[in-house]
Amino acid sequence: MKRILFLIVCLLFGMVASAIHAQEGEGVYQRHCSWCHDPGMNNPGTQQLTKTRGEANGILIHRDNLVDIYVKTIVRQGLNAMPAFKPTQITESELDALAAFLAD
């Protein structure tokens, strides 16, 4: 019985930690990415992705084909007009959260 209760508590803690991580990732997105990648054709990142990747892949938060290593690589190295973000701008922890948010 104690073992089952322990497993339930661990599962709930994991769900809470995951939700907090997702919230942090969304906050990083809002601070650093939304002005360029939010829905709407007035956003240069959305325009560029729509042109190069197609309508279905133009809006980052609507994509279901992103993986965390890809997000991390693009954020750190930049791509085309997108600048690279240094660890002093987006920390490793923030980058992990952002990648998890976009890859979910």
Side-chain angles (χ1 to χ4, degrees):
M1 182 67 167
K2 288 181 183 180
R3 186 175 278 171
I4 292 172
L5 183 58
F6 176 76
L7 291 173
I8 291 171
V9 168
C10 288
L11 179 63
L12 291 174
F13 179 76
M15 291 170 62
V16 169
S18 179
I20 291 169
H21 200 63
Q23 281 183 322
E24 181 185 359
E26 185 176 8
V28 174
Y29 174 84
Q30 291 300 324
R31 283 190 305 279
H32 296 284
C33 313
S34 63
W35 68 271
C36 192
H37 288 287
D38 261 0
M41 293 312 290
N42 291 328
N43 299 312
T46 301
Q47 284 181 337
Q48 181 67 24
L49 287 172
T50 299
K51 287 179 189 174
T52 60
R53 304 292 193 285
E55 190 75 32
N57 293 312
I59 302 169
L60 284 183
I61 57 175
H62 293 173
R63 289 180 66 169
D64 62 0
N65 60 350
L66 294 173
V67 293
D68 63 345
I69 190 67
Y70 179 75
V71 172
K72 291 176 182 182
T73 300
I74 299 303
V75 169
R76 286 292 184 238
Q77 295 181 4
L79 181 66
N80 297 327
M82 181 178 154
F85 288 84
K86 299 175 184 175
T88 54
Q89 297 167 303
I90 297 176
T91 67
E92 289 302 316
S93 175
E94 290 172 328
L95 183 57
D96 288 343
L98 175 64
F101 171 70
L102 291 174
D104 271 348

